[in-house]
mmCIF file of all heavy atoms in Angstrom:
data_model
loop_
_atom_site.group_PDB
_atom_site.id
_atom_site.type_symbol
_atom_site.label_atom_id
_atom_site.label_comp_id
_atom_site.label_asym_id
_atom_site.label_seq_id
_atom_site.Cartn_x
_atom_site.Cartn_y
_atom_site.Cartn_z
ATOM 1 N N SER A 12 8.957 -10.545 80.061
ATOM 2 C CA SER A 12 8.618 -11.865 79.527
ATOM 3 C C SER A 12 8.958 -12.957 80.545
ATOM 4 O O SER A 12 9.943 -12.850 81.278
ATOM 5 C CB SER A 12 9.413 -12.097 78.242
ATOM 6 O OG SER A 12 9.378 -13.451 77.886
ATOM 7 N N PRO A 13 8.181 -14.040 80.569
ATOM 8 C CA PRO A 13 8.497 -15.138 81.487
ATOM 9 C C PRO A 13 9.858 -15.777 81.192
ATOM 10 O O PRO A 13 10.454 -16.375 82.089
ATOM 11 C CB PRO A 13 7.358 -16.131 81.290
ATOM 12 C CG PRO A 13 6.646 -15.716 80.066
ATOM 13 C CD PRO A 13 6.955 -14.286 79.813
ATOM 14 N N ALA A 14 10.349 -15.643 79.988
ATOM 15 C CA ALA A 14 11.682 -16.178 79.673
ATOM 16 C C ALA A 14 12.757 -15.503 80.522
ATOM 17 O O ALA A 14 13.826 -16.080 80.734
ATOM 18 C CB ALA A 14 11.984 -15.994 78.191
ATOM 19 N N SER A 15 12.447 -14.315 81.033
ATOM 20 C CA SER A 15 13.408 -13.584 81.855
ATOM 21 C C SER A 15 13.341 -13.946 83.335
ATOM 22 O O SER A 15 14.298 -13.722 84.051
ATOM 23 C CB SER A 15 13.179 -12.074 81.715
ATOM 24 O OG SER A 15 13.372 -11.665 80.391
ATOM 25 N N PHE A 16 12.216 -14.479 83.820
ATOM 26 C CA PHE A 16 12.124 -14.771 85.255
ATOM 27 C C PHE A 16 11.807 -16.222 85.596
ATOM 28 O O PHE A 16 12.116 -16.673 86.698
ATOM 29 C CB PHE A 16 11.113 -13.832 85.947
ATOM 30 C CG PHE A 16 9.695 -13.941 85.480
ATOM 31 C CD1 PHE A 16 8.844 -14.886 86.009
ATOM 32 C CD2 PHE A 16 9.210 -13.077 84.517
ATOM 33 C CE1 PHE A 16 7.523 -14.979 85.588
ATOM 34 C CE2 PHE A 16 7.895 -13.152 84.085
ATOM 35 C CZ PHE A 16 7.053 -14.108 84.626
ATOM 36 N N LEU A 17 11.217 -16.987 84.684
ATOM 37 C CA LEU A 17 10.877 -18.376 85.026
ATOM 38 C C LEU A 17 12.099 -19.281 85.206
ATOM 39 O O LEU A 17 12.099 -20.108 86.124
ATOM 40 C CB LEU A 17 9.910 -18.969 84.011
ATOM 41 C CG LEU A 17 8.451 -18.534 84.184
ATOM 42 C CD1 LEU A 17 7.557 -19.222 83.162
ATOM 43 C CD2 LEU A 17 7.938 -18.776 85.582
ATOM 44 N N PRO A 18 13.147 -19.168 84.386
ATOM 45 C CA PRO A 18 14.314 -20.029 84.634
ATOM 46 C C PRO A 18 14.891 -19.850 86.043
ATOM 47 O O PRO A 18 15.233 -20.833 86.706
ATOM 48 C CB PRO A 18 15.306 -19.613 83.553
ATOM 49 C CG PRO A 18 14.434 -19.127 82.435
ATOM 50 C CD PRO A 18 13.293 -18.422 83.130
ATOM 51 N N ALA A 19 14.974 -18.624 86.521
ATOM 52 C CA ALA A 19 15.481 -18.381 87.878
ATOM 53 C C ALA A 19 14.519 -18.934 88.925
ATOM 54 O O ALA A 19 14.947 -19.495 89.943
ATOM 55 C CB ALA A 19 15.718 -16.888 88.102
ATOM 56 N N SER A 20 13.210 -18.801 88.664
ATOM 57 C CA SER A 20 12.238 -19.314 89.636
ATOM 58 C C SER A 20 12.309 -20.842 89.725
ATOM 59 O O SER A 20 12.103 -21.410 90.794
ATOM 60 C CB SER A 20 10.827 -18.848 89.291
ATOM 61 O OG SER A 20 10.340 -19.485 88.141
ATOM 62 N N GLU A 21 12.619 -21.487 88.606
ATOM 63 C CA GLU A 21 12.792 -22.942 88.629
ATOM 64 C C GLU A 21 14.068 -23.323 89.371
ATOM 65 O O GLU A 21 14.081 -24.247 90.177
ATOM 66 C CB GLU A 21 12.803 -23.499 87.209
ATOM 67 C CG GLU A 21 11.442 -23.444 86.547
ATOM 68 C CD GLU A 21 11.450 -23.821 85.072
ATOM 69 O OE1 GLU A 21 12.545 -23.843 84.456
ATOM 70 O OE2 GLU A 21 10.362 -24.078 84.541
ATOM 71 N N LYS A 22 15.128 -22.585 89.092
ATOM 72 C CA LYS A 22 16.423 -22.865 89.722
ATOM 73 C C LYS A 22 16.344 -22.737 91.236
ATOM 74 O O LYS A 22 16.926 -23.530 91.971
ATOM 75 C CB LYS A 22 17.487 -21.920 89.171
ATOM 76 C CG LYS A 22 18.857 -22.135 89.759
ATOM 77 C CD LYS A 22 19.875 -21.193 89.149
ATOM 78 C CE LYS A 22 21.238 -21.404 89.759
ATOM 79 N NZ LYS A 22 22.239 -20.500 89.170
ATOM 80 N N TYR A 23 15.612 -21.741 91.723
ATOM 81 C CA TYR A 23 15.525 -21.493 93.159
ATOM 82 C C TYR A 23 14.252 -22.079 93.787
ATOM 83 O O TYR A 23 13.883 -21.730 94.894
ATOM 84 C CB TYR A 23 15.646 -19.993 93.441
ATOM 85 C CG TYR A 23 17.013 -19.481 93.067
ATOM 86 C CD1 TYR A 23 17.190 -18.717 91.921
ATOM 87 C CD2 TYR A 23 18.130 -19.808 93.835
ATOM 88 C CE1 TYR A 23 18.458 -18.267 91.558
ATOM 89 C CE2 TYR A 23 19.393 -19.366 93.474
ATOM 90 C CZ TYR A 23 19.549 -18.595 92.337
ATOM 91 O OH TYR A 23 20.795 -18.167 91.971
ATOM 92 N N ASN A 24 13.610 -22.975 93.057
ATOM 93 C CA ASN A 24 12.453 -23.737 93.557
ATOM 94 C C ASN A 24 11.308 -22.868 94.065
ATOM 95 O O ASN A 24 10.684 -23.184 95.076
ATOM 96 C CB ASN A 24 12.896 -24.721 94.644
ATOM 97 C CG ASN A 24 13.830 -25.774 94.117
ATOM 98 O OD1 ASN A 24 13.622 -26.307 93.032
ATOM 99 N ND2 ASN A 24 14.882 -26.060 94.857
ATOM 100 N N ILE A 25 11.008 -21.795 93.323
ATOM 101 C CA ILE A 25 9.841 -20.981 93.679
ATOM 102 C C ILE A 25 8.799 -20.970 92.563
ATOM 103 O O ILE A 25 7.804 -20.266 92.659
ATOM 104 C CB ILE A 25 10.241 -19.536 94.069
ATOM 105 C CG1 ILE A 25 10.964 -18.836 92.921
ATOM 106 C CG2 ILE A 25 11.062 -19.526 95.342
ATOM 107 C CD1 ILE A 25 11.199 -17.359 93.163
ATOM 108 N N VAL A 26 9.021 -21.762 91.532
ATOM 109 C CA VAL A 26 8.094 -21.778 90.409
ATOM 110 C C VAL A 26 6.725 -22.326 90.812
ATOM 111 O O VAL A 26 5.703 -21.905 90.268
ATOM 112 C CB VAL A 26 8.684 -22.537 89.196
ATOM 113 C CG1 VAL A 26 8.744 -24.033 89.437
ATOM 114 C CG2 VAL A 26 7.911 -22.229 87.933
ATOM 115 N N THR A 27 6.687 -23.212 91.796
ATOM 116 C CA THR A 27 5.403 -23.732 92.257
ATOM 117 C C THR A 27 4.559 -22.613 92.865
ATOM 118 O O THR A 27 3.335 -22.584 92.687
ATOM 119 C CB THR A 27 5.616 -24.882 93.264
ATOM 120 O OG1 THR A 27 6.350 -25.913 92.603
ATOM 121 C CG2 THR A 27 4.310 -25.468 93.748
ATOM 122 N N SER A 28 5.198 -21.679 93.553
ATOM 123 C CA SER A 28 4.469 -20.527 94.103
ATOM 124 C C SER A 28 3.885 -19.677 92.981
ATOM 125 O O SER A 28 2.768 -19.151 93.100
ATOM 126 C CB SER A 28 5.391 -19.674 94.968
ATOM 127 O OG SER A 28 5.832 -20.400 96.077
ATOM 128 N N ILE A 29 4.626 -19.541 91.907
ATOM 129 C CA ILE A 29 4.121 -18.787 90.756
ATOM 130 C C ILE A 29 2.958 -19.529 90.117
ATOM 131 O O ILE A 29 1.939 -18.923 89.770
ATOM 132 C CB ILE A 29 5.255 -18.503 89.747
ATOM 133 C CG1 ILE A 29 6.291 -17.577 90.389
ATOM 134 C CG2 ILE A 29 4.699 -17.919 88.454
ATOM 135 C CD1 ILE A 29 7.557 -17.382 89.570
ATOM 136 N N ASP A 30 3.069 -20.844 89.985
ATOM 137 C CA ASP A 30 1.961 -21.640 89.451
ATOM 138 C C ASP A 30 0.710 -21.468 90.315
ATOM 139 O O ASP A 30 -0.404 -21.331 89.795
ATOM 140 C CB ASP A 30 2.335 -23.123 89.377
ATOM 141 C CG ASP A 30 3.285 -23.456 88.236
ATOM 142 O OD1 ASP A 30 3.513 -22.594 87.357
ATOM 143 O OD2 ASP A 30 3.806 -24.592 88.229
ATOM 144 N N ARG A 31 0.878 -21.449 91.621
ATOM 145 C CA ARG A 31 -0.257 -21.246 92.522
ATOM 146 C C ARG A 31 -0.911 -19.886 92.268
ATOM 147 O O ARG A 31 -2.137 -19.776 92.247
ATOM 148 C CB ARG A 31 0.182 -21.331 93.987
ATOM 149 C CG ARG A 31 0.468 -22.726 94.461
ATOM 150 C CD ARG A 31 1.030 -22.686 95.895
ATOM 151 N NE ARG A 31 1.363 -23.998 96.350
ATOM 152 C CZ ARG A 31 0.660 -24.697 97.236
ATOM 153 N NH1 ARG A 31 -0.427 -24.168 97.759
ATOM 154 N NH2 ARG A 31 1.028 -25.894 97.602
ATOM 155 N N TRP A 32 -0.091 -18.859 92.080
ATOM 156 C CA TRP A 32 -0.611 -17.517 91.824
ATOM 157 C C TRP A 32 -1.449 -17.521 90.550
ATOM 158 O O TRP A 32 -2.555 -16.985 90.523
ATOM 159 C CB TRP A 32 0.544 -16.520 91.713
ATOM 160 C CG TRP A 32 0.116 -15.092 91.669
ATOM 161 C CD1 TRP A 32 0.044 -14.224 92.720
ATOM 162 C CD2 TRP A 32 -0.317 -14.357 90.514
ATOM 163 N NE1 TRP A 32 -0.412 -13.001 92.285
ATOM 164 C CE2 TRP A 32 -0.642 -13.051 90.932
ATOM 165 C CE3 TRP A 32 -0.474 -14.669 89.172
ATOM 166 C CZ2 TRP A 32 -1.106 -12.073 90.068
ATOM 167 C CZ3 TRP A 32 -0.934 -13.699 88.300
ATOM 168 C CH2 TRP A 32 -1.243 -12.416 88.742
ATOM 169 N N VAL A 33 -0.921 -18.142 89.509
ATOM 170 C CA VAL A 33 -1.632 -18.185 88.224
ATOM 171 C C VAL A 33 -2.950 -18.947 88.361
ATOM 172 O O VAL A 33 -3.996 -18.481 87.905
ATOM 173 C CB VAL A 33 -0.742 -18.811 87.122
ATOM 174 C CG1 VAL A 33 -1.537 -19.052 85.844
ATOM 175 C CG2 VAL A 33 0.473 -17.935 86.845
ATOM 176 N N ILE A 34 -2.915 -20.105 88.989
ATOM 177 C CA ILE A 34 -4.125 -20.913 89.156
ATOM 178 C C ILE A 34 -5.168 -20.151 89.967
ATOM 179 O O ILE A 34 -6.338 -20.064 89.585
ATOM 180 C CB ILE A 34 -3.786 -22.265 89.818
ATOM 181 C CG1 ILE A 34 -2.967 -23.124 88.852
ATOM 182 C CG2 ILE A 34 -5.056 -22.999 90.270
ATOM 183 C CD1 ILE A 34 -2.261 -24.291 89.514
ATOM 184 N N SER A 35 -4.742 -19.593 91.077
ATOM 185 C CA SER A 35 -5.658 -18.864 91.948
ATOM 186 C C SER A 35 -6.302 -17.685 91.230
ATOM 187 O O SER A 35 -7.526 -17.509 91.266
ATOM 188 C CB SER A 35 -4.891 -18.383 93.184
ATOM 189 O OG SER A 35 -5.710 -17.602 94.008
ATOM 190 N N HIS A 36 -5.501 -16.874 90.559
ATOM 191 C CA HIS A 36 -6.037 -15.692 89.880
ATOM 192 C C HIS A 36 -6.891 -16.066 88.662
ATOM 193 O O HIS A 36 -7.880 -15.392 88.375
ATOM 194 C CB HIS A 36 -4.903 -14.740 89.501
ATOM 195 C CG HIS A 36 -4.408 -13.947 90.671
ATOM 196 N ND1 HIS A 36 -3.566 -14.482 91.620
ATOM 197 C CD2 HIS A 36 -4.672 -12.685 91.058
ATOM 198 C CE1 HIS A 36 -3.320 -13.568 92.534
ATOM 199 N NE2 HIS A 36 -3.981 -12.468 92.228
ATOM 200 N N THR A 37 -6.523 -17.119 87.969
ATOM 201 C CA THR A 37 -7.320 -17.551 86.824
ATOM 202 C C THR A 37 -8.687 -18.061 87.276
ATOM 203 O O THR A 37 -9.717 -17.688 86.703
ATOM 204 C CB THR A 37 -6.581 -18.642 86.023
ATOM 205 O OG1 THR A 37 -5.336 -18.119 85.558
ATOM 206 C CG2 THR A 37 -7.412 -19.106 84.836
ATOM 207 N N MET A 38 -8.701 -18.897 88.291
ATOM 208 C CA MET A 38 -9.987 -19.426 88.774
ATOM 209 C C MET A 38 -10.834 -18.315 89.387
ATOM 210 O O MET A 38 -12.060 -18.317 89.213
ATOM 211 C CB MET A 38 -9.755 -20.566 89.755
ATOM 212 C CG MET A 38 -9.293 -21.838 89.085
ATOM 213 S SD MET A 38 -9.431 -23.223 90.238
ATOM 214 C CE MET A 38 -8.663 -24.527 89.303
ATOM 215 N N GLU A 39 -10.197 -17.387 90.074
ATOM 216 C CA GLU A 39 -10.940 -16.253 90.639
ATOM 217 C C GLU A 39 -11.587 -15.429 89.525
ATOM 218 O O GLU A 39 -12.752 -15.051 89.607
ATOM 219 C CB GLU A 39 -9.981 -15.381 91.455
ATOM 220 C CG GLU A 39 -10.629 -14.191 92.114
ATOM 221 C CD GLU A 39 -9.606 -13.370 92.873
ATOM 222 O OE1 GLU A 39 -8.878 -13.944 93.711
ATOM 223 O OE2 GLU A 39 -9.534 -12.150 92.614
ATOM 224 N N TRP A 40 -10.826 -15.162 88.465
ATOM 225 C CA TRP A 40 -11.354 -14.408 87.324
ATOM 226 C C TRP A 40 -12.507 -15.162 86.672
ATOM 227 O O TRP A 40 -13.561 -14.598 86.389
ATOM 228 C CB TRP A 40 -10.231 -14.146 86.315
ATOM 229 C CG TRP A 40 -10.692 -13.671 84.979
ATOM 230 C CD1 TRP A 40 -11.298 -12.485 84.684
ATOM 231 C CD2 TRP A 40 -10.588 -14.379 83.739
ATOM 232 N NE1 TRP A 40 -11.569 -12.408 83.333
ATOM 233 C CE2 TRP A 40 -11.147 -13.563 82.738
ATOM 234 C CE3 TRP A 40 -10.075 -15.620 83.380
ATOM 235 C CZ2 TRP A 40 -11.201 -13.948 81.401
ATOM 236 C CZ3 TRP A 40 -10.122 -16.004 82.058
ATOM 237 C CH2 TRP A 40 -10.687 -15.167 81.088
ATOM 238 N N LEU A 41 -12.302 -16.449 86.461
ATOM 239 C CA LEU A 41 -13.310 -17.261 85.796
ATOM 240 C C LEU A 41 -14.604 -17.336 86.609
ATOM 241 O O LEU A 41 -15.702 -17.314 86.045
ATOM 242 C CB LEU A 41 -12.763 -18.668 85.549
ATOM 243 C CG LEU A 41 -13.581 -19.621 84.707
ATOM 244 C CD1 LEU A 41 -13.872 -19.035 83.340
ATOM 245 C CD2 LEU A 41 -12.844 -20.943 84.558
ATOM 246 N N SER A 42 -14.483 -17.355 87.921
ATOM 247 C CA SER A 42 -15.685 -17.480 88.752
ATOM 248 C C SER A 42 -16.377 -16.156 89.027
ATOM 249 O O SER A 42 -17.566 -16.133 89.303
ATOM 250 C CB SER A 42 -15.333 -18.141 90.088
ATOM 251 O OG SER A 42 -14.558 -17.265 90.877
ATOM 252 N N SER A 43 -15.646 -15.032 88.934
ATOM 253 C CA SER A 43 -16.240 -13.758 89.332
ATOM 254 C C SER A 43 -16.649 -12.861 88.173
ATOM 255 O O SER A 43 -17.490 -11.987 88.345
ATOM 256 C CB SER A 43 -15.270 -12.981 90.226
ATOM 257 O OG SER A 43 -14.110 -12.621 89.496
ATOM 258 N N ASP A 44 -16.082 -13.063 87.000
ATOM 259 C CA ASP A 44 -16.388 -12.201 85.860
ATOM 260 C C ASP A 44 -17.698 -12.660 85.221
ATOM 261 O O ASP A 44 -17.798 -13.784 84.738
ATOM 262 C CB ASP A 44 -15.248 -12.260 84.841
ATOM 263 C CG ASP A 44 -15.397 -11.238 83.728
ATOM 264 O OD1 ASP A 44 -16.535 -10.999 83.264
ATOM 265 O OD2 ASP A 44 -14.367 -10.682 83.309
ATOM 266 N N PRO A 45 -18.736 -11.785 85.213
ATOM 267 C CA PRO A 45 -20.028 -12.192 84.655
ATOM 268 C C PRO A 45 -19.949 -12.604 83.191
ATOM 269 O O PRO A 45 -20.697 -13.464 82.743
ATOM 270 C CB PRO A 45 -20.914 -10.959 84.812
ATOM 271 C CG PRO A 45 -20.134 -9.944 85.525
ATOM 272 C CD PRO A 45 -18.736 -10.429 85.709
ATOM 273 N N VAL A 46 -19.027 -12.026 82.437
ATOM 274 C CA VAL A 46 -18.878 -12.403 81.028
ATOM 275 C C VAL A 46 -18.374 -13.836 80.930
ATOM 276 O O VAL A 46 -18.844 -14.634 80.128
ATOM 277 C CB VAL A 46 -17.925 -11.432 80.298
ATOM 278 C CG1 VAL A 46 -17.645 -11.906 78.886
ATOM 279 C CG2 VAL A 46 -18.503 -10.026 80.286
ATOM 280 N N CYS A 47 -17.405 -14.196 81.774
ATOM 281 C CA CYS A 47 -16.831 -15.547 81.733
ATOM 282 C C CYS A 47 -17.832 -16.616 82.120
ATOM 283 O O CYS A 47 -17.794 -17.718 81.598
ATOM 284 C CB CYS A 47 -15.637 -15.642 82.673
ATOM 285 S SG CYS A 47 -14.224 -14.711 82.129
ATOM 286 N N LYS A 48 -18.722 -16.277 83.057
ATOM 287 C CA LYS A 48 -19.670 -17.286 83.540
ATOM 288 C C LYS A 48 -20.554 -17.822 82.419
ATOM 289 O O LYS A 48 -20.889 -18.991 82.400
ATOM 290 C CB LYS A 48 -20.513 -16.708 84.668
ATOM 291 C CG LYS A 48 -19.745 -16.552 85.953
ATOM 292 C CD LYS A 48 -20.632 -16.049 87.059
ATOM 293 C CE LYS A 48 -19.834 -15.926 88.340
ATOM 294 N NZ LYS A 48 -20.640 -15.429 89.430
ATOM 295 N N GLY A 49 -20.917 -16.981 81.468
ATOM 296 C CA GLY A 49 -21.774 -17.433 80.383
ATOM 297 C C GLY A 49 -21.033 -17.719 79.097
ATOM 298 O O GLY A 49 -21.634 -18.094 78.104
ATOM 299 N N TRP A 50 -19.735 -17.533 79.123
ATOM 300 C CA TRP A 50 -18.923 -17.687 77.928
ATOM 301 C C TRP A 50 -18.431 -19.121 77.821
ATOM 302 O O TRP A 50 -17.777 -19.611 78.734
ATOM 303 C CB TRP A 50 -17.750 -16.721 78.037
ATOM 304 C CG TRP A 50 -16.926 -16.524 76.810
ATOM 305 C CD1 TRP A 50 -17.316 -16.604 75.522
ATOM 306 C CD2 TRP A 50 -15.538 -16.169 76.774
ATOM 307 N NE1 TRP A 50 -16.275 -16.318 74.683
ATOM 308 C CE2 TRP A 50 -15.167 -16.052 75.434
ATOM 309 C CE3 TRP A 50 -14.585 -15.945 77.745
ATOM 310 C CZ2 TRP A 50 -13.880 -15.727 75.034
ATOM 311 C CZ3 TRP A 50 -13.307 -15.616 77.355
ATOM 312 C CH2 TRP A 50 -12.968 -15.508 76.014
ATOM 313 N N PRO A 51 -18.733 -19.822 76.743
ATOM 314 C CA PRO A 51 -18.263 -21.206 76.618
ATOM 315 C C PRO A 51 -16.771 -21.223 76.289
ATOM 316 O O PRO A 51 -16.369 -21.163 75.138
ATOM 317 C CB PRO A 51 -19.107 -21.764 75.468
ATOM 318 C CG PRO A 51 -19.433 -20.563 74.636
ATOM 319 C CD PRO A 51 -19.509 -19.399 75.589
#
């Protein structure tokens, strides 16, 4: 669960890297998955 790793990532200032990972992978999924392209 993120409750187990996000507090430490915030404390050690690496949470922005995790946010980047999420944004990048979400946008990649949204742009490449044929189901998502037509899904409102």
Side-chain angles (χ1 to χ4, degrees):
S12 165
S15 298
F16 63 85
L17 282 182
S20 71
E21 289 172 344
K22 180 179 179 180
Y23 294 106
N24 296 318
I25 59 171
V26 71
T27 300
S28 296
I29 295 172
D30 285 349
R31 286 175 182 254
W32 189 96
V33 171
I34 292 164
S35 176
H36 282 78
T37 300
M38 287 194 186
E39 181 181 307
W40 167 66
L41 188 57
S42 70
S43 65
D44 188 321
V46 174
C47 291
K48 287 183 179 179
W50 191 30

